[in-house]
Amino acid sequence: MILSRRPDIERFLAQPDSQVRAALIYGRDAGVVRDRANALAARVVERPDDPFDVALLTDGDLDSDAARLEGELAAQSLMGGRRLVRLRFATEKASLDKLAAEALAAHAEGRLNPDAFFLIEAGNLGRTSDLRKAAEKAPQAAAIPCYEDEPGDVARLVRETLTRDNVALSAEALALFVARLPKERGVARQEIERLALFLGPGSGLTATPKDLEDFLGVEPEASLSDAASDAFGGRLAEAQAGLRRAAQEGEAGPAAVRAMGFHLGRLRRTLTLAKSGAGLQEAAKASGVFWKHEREFLRQARSWTLDDLDLLQTEVLNADRLCKQSGAPDQLIAERLALTIAGRARRKGL
């Protein structure tokens, strides 16, 4: 059976169906897969790290000994409790995919040790995967796809992790921190834990954006970010200076074009949220605008319109395409794009 809706997945992870003997948790984000697998393992057996109750295999083990997987699934727990067989499956070999699928089907039907639980962690399995099809088809198995975290999921992860260390973030600081986190959950979790240490575990502090300034440091590609903001603010000389400074720091023309496209995207998101009823300042925070840049960003957001940005998007896409052509003068292309943006900003009174 397939569990794709978040409430169904969370319900299953909290209280697995007693009739289910196997679960396949798969997806592109290995951190989400691992978190859900760990949560389920903790519900299936009392001691998920106990080698007497748990067998941990990889696809390499299957490759070297094809019979080992079914052997582990048929074995009884040495300590008399429920047995967990955990397979971390990262191969693209069709033969191993088929082998794991056959073992899952046999175990789900109760042909091995029916009291054991088979837990598989896998990558982004396609629709043609025999393993995925077997898990989706068997009533006694659960197939759980994992997708990239939404901002709300990341915010919840941040709150829950920091709460365990008795620290927290204000709403503005939380929005800022979430906007700067990487998408992969495993890396994001490391950053959250690092933040908890920075704030002081057990301190009871609720941090503000100003408290995060030293932790976040300078934004990546700061010169390009400043140049993009200057261009959209109508300050051509400053934008050109920022682009040239970035070039000296090793940031080429394509990165400059991306920075201007990213700034355009933030303006578009802010204006879209405002059009839906959000306050402009609230919309800017939701778009991840750093508090130090908020005043200038809001000045720009009050002048640009969604129609303006749609027209400008074509210019950005054309510049990006030209930069990728062999031998293209990408630095000049980026500066010409900045000139176009700044010129339109000046005509809007910026």
Side-chain angles (χ1 to χ4, degrees):
M1 64 176 176
I2 305 173
L3 297 176
S4 57
R5 295 177 60 251
R6 187 176 302 279
D8 295 336
I9 294 172
E10 291 180 350
R11 225 176 352 256
F12 179 80
L13 296 179
Q15 190 171 358
D17 188 329
S18 60
Q19 301 301 310
V20 173
R21 299 190 184 99
L24 167 65
I25 305 177
Y26 69 96
R28 194 183 304 277
D29 192 326
V32 178
V33 172
R34 183 64 53 85
D35 278 359
R36 287 179 169 174
N38 287 340
L40 183 54
R43 291 292 182 178
V44 170
V45 293
E46 291 184 12
R47 300 176 296 277
D49 296 323
D50 189 338
F52 292 105
D53 287 335
V54 180
L56 178 59
L57 305 176
T58 67
D59 42 85
D61 295 318
L62 274 61
D63 205 10
S64 60
D65 184 358
R68 184 175 175 187
L69 179 56
E70 287 203 1
E72 294 287 2
L73 288 169
Q76 301 292 319
S77 171
L78 295 176
M79 304 302 291
R82 190 176 193 186
R83 181 169 173 76
L84 171 64
V85 178
R86 196 164 176 175
L87 172 63
R88 288 179 176 157
F89 196 73
T91 186
E92 295 182 0
K93 288 186 178 180
S95 58
L96 295 185
D97 184 83
K98 184 178 180 182
L99 177 66
E102 291 171 349
L104 183 144
H107 183 65
E109 292 172 5
R111 286 187 271 139
L112 302 171
N113 174 9
D115 292 328
F117 194 91
F118 187 20
L119 174 57
I120 309 166
E121 302 165 46
N124 192 34
L125 300 177
R127 292 183 180 276
T128 60
S129 164
D130 289 329
L131 177 57
R132 176 176 164 179
K133 288 190 284 189
E136 292 175 348
K137 181 180 178 181
Q140 296 84 13
I144 303 175
C146 298
Y147 305 107
E148 260 186 7
D149 282 328
E150 297 291 335
D153 302 321
V154 180
R156 183 167 58 249
L157 177 65
V158 172
R159 285 194 297 265
E160 291 173 354
T161 305
L162 294 182
T163 296
R164 289 198 289 269
D165 286 310
N166 193 28
V167 290
L169 299 177
S170 68
E172 294 82 3
L174 179 63
L176 172 63
F177 183 61
V178 168
R180 296 281 293 275
L181 278 177
K183 290 186 178 295
E184 206 282 320
R185 177 162 318 177
V187 182
R189 187 180 289 280
Q190 292 174 6
E191 283 299 295
I192 299 167
E193 291 170 352
R194 192 167 70 87
L195 175 63
L197 289 174
F198 175 80
L199 297 178
S203 66
L205 174 67
T206 297
T208 65
K210 187 170 180 60
D211 295 322
L212 296 185
E213 186 174 345
D214 289 339
F215 178 81
L216 294 175
V218 179
E219 282 195 72
E221 302 177 349
S223 295
L224 292 182
S225 297
D226 291 343
S229 178
D230 285 333
F232 278 89
R235 297 182 295 276
L236 177 59
E238 290 87 344
Q240 286 181 321
L243 292 178
R244 290 167 186 170
R245 185 168 60 251
Q248 292 172 352
E249 294 167 357
E251 297 291 355
V257 173
R258 283 196 300 272
M260 285 182 269
F262 183 71
H263 192 86
L264 185 151
R266 272 188 169 168
L267 280 170
R268 174 185 279 122
R269 174 171 167 75
T270 299
L271 294 178
T272 300
L273 290 172
K275 188 176 180 180
S276 300
L280 199 58
Q281 187 173 23
E282 176 189 356
K285 288 176 180 175
S287 301
V289 177
F290 191 45
W291 69 272
K292 274 190 170 183
H293 305 153
E294 188 176 282
R295 183 175 179 180
E296 168 60 20
F297 186 87
L298 291 175
R299 184 180 78 92
Q300 297 175 18
R302 292 186 184 100
S303 296
W304 289 96
T305 67
L306 286 171
D307 288 340
D308 295 329
L309 298 178
D310 286 340
L311 291 173
L312 201 54
Q313 181 71 58
T314 303
E315 302 283 350
V316 174
L317 292 174
N318 285 338
D320 183 63
R321 177 179 54 79
L322 290 171
C323 279
K324 293 174 180 175
Q325 294 180 1
S326 177
D330 52 20
Q331 186 63 30
L332 290 177
I333 292 169
E335 289 193 22
R336 186 172 64 188
L337 176 62
L339 173 62
T340 299
I341 295 171
R344 294 187 189 180
R346 293 292 296 271
R347 288 195 292 274
K348 299 184 73 62
L350 284 163

